[in-house]
Amino acid sequence: MNEFQVIDSVMPDVPPPSAEQLLAARERILAAAPVSHVSMAGAGRRSWTGMALVAAAVVLVVGVVVALVPRSSVEPVAVTPMQKLEAAAARLAATPEANGRYWRRDTEHVVRTKSDHGYKVEERAMEALAFGPDREVYGWHEPVSSKPYTAEDLKAWRRDGSPKLCPARGCDKNMPAYSSTDLEAGLELADGLKPTLTELRSLPKEPAALKSRLLESYRPQVDTERERWLKEAASRLITSPAAPGTRAAAYLLLAKEPGITVVDDVPRTFGLDGLALQEKTGQGVRQIVIDRKTGHVLGRQWLAPDGVHHHAEIVRKVGWSDVRPVPPAGCVRCTTRL
């Protein structure tokens, strides 16, 4: 019986033993099987005992060989930000939508600036945009608060007598909220591209097909540069009432456009934690931040050329429901029909 054939059969990936290992193993096996003169009647029993000892020795040899073989170090495969985006997009595309008559998106706008007195102030406001049946559209901007956002600026503000900072709730009692945009352009994606809600919902769910469909509306004689126009259309599509598959395709479309990179672990100055489609511009950096687990858009943020965050739009709630949007009391021109 060749004990190393046994080793090869149970450990096909173990490298062949060295000459020294062979010699040492054979000596241990022979030493474990004593030779004695026995009768023919006891020979069978003794032979079985010897074979058992040999088998036990083989097990010992296997342990020795395993101990001598260095463990292979398996490095974890690095997952790139692009692969993470593709996975997030796939999860978004597979997400079922809730049914409802109204689509609504609530975003929190954060702007960091300087007050007239010189200290830095963070202004916050809530903005709503909604679409309903019969071409109904709703939209308003409601100031929430203004306050210093660093310890030093807070001290300076207190030294100044803690004056009321505006815009904020209660600053304008006659107009606590106002229309945030031209509601008739609520579905406009770019110059010359203003689909109806039905057309928007039927856009392709594959990046190449989506790009081709969007570019059908591009007019080189009138519109801005083609690349910039396409990026703007796809960026607005991401936060629109488009189907999940279309929004996921817009992620991948943008990721392949020149000047746009996919980054992970973006700075969380405004609480946005996720992947980002990032583009550097002459005014700094802008990022579309996407949740890694669900693929839903978390918001947008803008960085100055020196890397300081100064503006963000944080998506607080978005989706379909049967709840009719109701603008704040006193909101002027906050409803219309497309």
Side-chain angles (χ1 to χ4, degrees), residues 110-112 149 261 263-272 274-289 299-313:
V110 185
V111 179
R112 289 183 170 178
Y149 66 91
T261 56
V263 298
D264 198 3
D265 296 326
V266 298
R268 306 173 188 178
T269 302
F270 297 115
L272 296 174
L275 300 164
L277 291 163
Q278 176 174 287
E279 182 179 22
K280 293 183 179 180
T281 67
Q283 291 74 41
V285 175
R286 64 177 184 175
Q287 298 173 330
I288 299 173
V289 186
R300 306 171 191 264
Q301 57 187 9
W302 288 261
L303 290 71
D306 59 1
V308 175
H309 289 64
H310 62 83
H311 183 199
E313 294 176 3

Side-chain angles (χ1 to χ4, degrees), residues 20 36 76 99 181 227 249 254-255 279 281 311 336 338:
E20 291 79 3
S36 62
N99 295 321
T181 184
E227 183 180 294
L254 280 172
E279 182 179 22
T281 67
H311 183 199
T336 189
L338 293 176

Side-chain angles (χ1 to χ4, degrees), residues 149-196:
Y149 66 91
T150 69
E152 291 183 0
D153 292 305
L154 180 60
K155 291 178 181 178
W157 175 67
R158 286 173 176 168
R159 286 195 301 267
D160 197 33
S162 303
K164 184 174 180 61
L165 300 174
C166 291
R169 285 197 175 102
C171 284
D172 188 345
K173 299 186 182 301
N174 296 319
M175 189 178 290
Y178 50 90
S179 178
S180 60
T181 184
D182 180 3
L183 295 183
E184 293 184 357
L187 291 173
E188 185 174 13
L189 301 178
D191 291 340
L193 180 55
K194 185 180 176 182
T196 65

Side-chain angles (χ1 to χ4, degrees), residues 55-77:
V58 169
V59 173
L60 291 174
V61 172
V62 171
V64 171
V65 174
V66 170
L68 292 173
V69 176
R71 294 181 180 273
S72 60
S73 58
V74 179
E75 295 294 334
V77 178

